[in-house]
Amino acid sequence: MSVQEIPYKIYLAESEIPEAWYNVRADMKNKPAPLLNPGTHQPLQFEELRPVFCDELIKQELNDTDPWIPIPEEIRKFYKMFRPSPLVRAYCLERKLGTPAKIYYKFEGNNTSGSHKLNSAIAQAYYAKMQGLKGVTTETGAGQWGTALSMACAYFGLDCRVYMVKCSYEQKPFRREVMRTYGANVTPSPSMTTEVGKKINAEYPGTTGSLGCAISEAVEAATHMEGYRYVLGSVLSQVLLHQTVIGLEAKAALDKYGVTPDIIIGCAGGGSNLGGLVSPFLGEKLRGEKDYRIIAVEPASCPSLTRGVFAYDFCDTGHVCPLAKMYTLGSEFIPSANHAGGLRYHGMSSILSQAYHDGLMEATSVEQTAVFEAAEEFARVEGILPAPESSHAIRVAIDEALKCKQTGESKTILFGLTGTGYFDLKAYEAYNNKSMTDYIPTDEDLKRSIDLIPRFPGNLM
Amino acid sequence: MSVQEIPYKIYLAESEIPEAWYNVRADMKNKPAPLLNPGTHQPLQFEELRPVFCDELIKQELNDTDPWIPIPEEIRKFYKMFRPSPLVRAYCLERKLGTPAKIYYKFEGNNTSGSHKLNSAIAQAYYAKMQGLKGVTTETGAGQWGTALSMACAYFGLDCRVYMVKCSYEQKPFRREVMRTYGANVTPSPSMTTEVGKKINAEYPGTTGSLGCAISEAVEAATHMEGYRYVLGSVLSQVLLHQTVIGLEAKAALDKYGVTPDIIIGCAGGGSNLGGLVSPFLGEKLRGEKDYRIIAVEPASCPSLTRGVFAYDFCDTGHVCPLAKMYTLGSEFIPSANHAGGLRYHGMSSILSQAYHDGLMEATSVEQTAVFEAAEEFARVEGILPAPESSHAIRVAIDEALKCKQTGESKTILFGLTGTGYFDLKAYEAYNNKSMTDYIPTDEDLKRSIDLIPRFPGNLM
């Protein structure tokens, strides 16, 4: 191990961009449970999924045996426009905290989508293009995923139709304009362009929508248009697979300097960024080669891992999607309106859910004012305005670093800085004006939506 | 010269961040004319400038003999958080255009201020801190400079007071919130906190302000508060000096691969980014070592180089600042309200004005719909949503590359991509909605403000 001075930012060369994604399921003794057909409760087969997803992506979704999936050259080329992303040594934050801990973060925000979402968007657009499709449909909440997909589709000349949760469509006109600049067609959801949208509009007049509802509309649109498929930005195993470029690059950069993290921290909504960051480390843990503390951080207002149940559940409000086994708060759960930013999905990646269930990973939840306090502290010394989502990880990284200050331990902490907060300034404004509040659902609140999880033999026992 | 494959992004190592700024004035045969005292019309001396500017910055402003000014280690440390910035080979744009030209751009947008402004902000904050000051005041229009300065002041624990042009303050609340997150005090200008602000509010009730007016307020505030100085984000020679890190890094990156640009293109508002990019190349030209075509691109709605006069003029509306010799449209000139983005200053850096006057640089002006067309084309293939300002340079780079396509020449084009457009989506929205229009001032329009340029012996002859 060389004693080189570690730079502020470790950049790998473009030739060091991973040549394959790492499929952590191959190394898991307890595999994540398969997706089920919501009608028959039987594992879904390739053919059943073909009307919804691209063929190659279904293969990736169902593949829990091959540890490495080669990254096509055309995707690696696109990656070169914004990857390798920097692994940053947070010297300024360490100095500010006065901690003996060594803090690193993998920064995925240096691209126009502003987040890690582009890693999977370009892969999904590529496979759609290779299959000769005309376009793809999707949903977006805060807008990162829709932006990333618009960029990827523009690159390959694919039509991109985005159902954007209506309240975001109205409150985040700038996100909408970025997508339009990249040529995407953006529709506020629920809309009158789908049957499920019309039904929800009729049942709940004036509703401002939800992610689950937008998913249902996007799936319906894809399956009713010739040459279209549906794509999703999180939760699915294929998405987590694509996001492993984050963890593979982070590990390669640390290895270069002989650094091994003690604690790895990431925010968790659907789980794809966290899963992507931790997969290579989790793999070593699964193979008994090394041990790491892995911490998933979720918002106290949407606590699927820390307060949900491990069961098969619907992925969307309209119940048109497969059932997935995951930690869930129930598909009808909608976080309080005061909740800022993403991380508002009711469920969690089935890979991470299984890992958590098997004790391979910890989870903790944090309240949003504490999250923004950490975001501000980080921004002022590290010079990057972080996304509210990413700031959940910053909060816990700071807390762990402060524990080291108390104990005098010099632990190495790695966290995922998934994106920038340039489109979240309404939330920063609320924090700056001290009008931001916290909200923790009561047990009763959670019981209401958890009780709606489907009951069938073997589920929710 | 090695025949290495050129990567998409050339990153220098942090150890290769320049150790000194390059002061191109030292190599100019015709030095830029000195700043004049607006009362006596005599060259301003160090002592006269001390109430307004930090001592060390005045020395830099007046220094036209030393070619290299060392960059203090503390500034280089801060630079390491976001520099070296990437020099990007625009492979995707070249392919899209089908041009034999080779296009490179130096991208300064990968930091939270979203632009090159941070290069000078951190330098100016550092010298204020070293002088033991409490804080600094400044003005901001679109908000990039105010954001950059807020970040720099947060880093050094300096108070930062920003006078923000009132229409931007109201139309760009998100820029304001970024500054507040970094702890800055942001006041809409004209305000009632200064004499000049009160006077302008009384004369023009309901005015939404101008950059020239905000400058006057910031200068008054700085000179009336103990322990404060005024700082400026463009136009001044010291700012251009700090921005030479852009050109020095770009040149070092190209040199590494044995590449020499034929044409160097940058957008020009006050001129600091263009000056920073071209200085090292202009130096070679001045010393007779090499030749380059250098093109300044300005908006057709604010054409100081292409339609202004070369004369001493006021730098601000309130006429509290020194007189500078420059290409100017007159200090009362305000671009049409339909003008998007920055590049709205009535004058131009005295260094670039002199270089242009001496035939060392060309200038051209472009209309904004053509600029946004180039911006959209660039965004869709290169994956970066460019700032409207930077897109002026993109427009001309594309035009030059298309000329190469016609002639079959394989020229090497370098342009400055100064920033990102995340806070300019109102303008993109207008373009997307096809409601954006062009505006070119008539000769009469220009005559009105040019006629107000001060007449004294030797000026405006």
Side-chain angles (χ1 to χ4, degrees), chain A residues 9 14 80 83 112 385, chain B residues 9 14 80 83 112 385:
Chain A
K9 306 174 298 313
E14 286 172 11
K80 287 179 185 176
R83 310 202 66 83
T112 286
L385 187 80
Chain B
K9 305 174 298 313
E14 286 171 11
K80 287 180 185 175
R83 306 202 70 83
T112 286
L385 187 81

Side-chain angles (χ1 to χ4, degrees), chain A residues 177 180, chain B residues 425-437:
Chain A
E177 291 309 320
R180 287 182 70 200
Chain B
L425 284 155
K426 270 277 171 214
Y428 274 97
E429 184 176 26
Y431 179 74
N432 290 338
N433 290 340
K434 308 205 189 313
S435 62
M436 177 175 278
T437 56

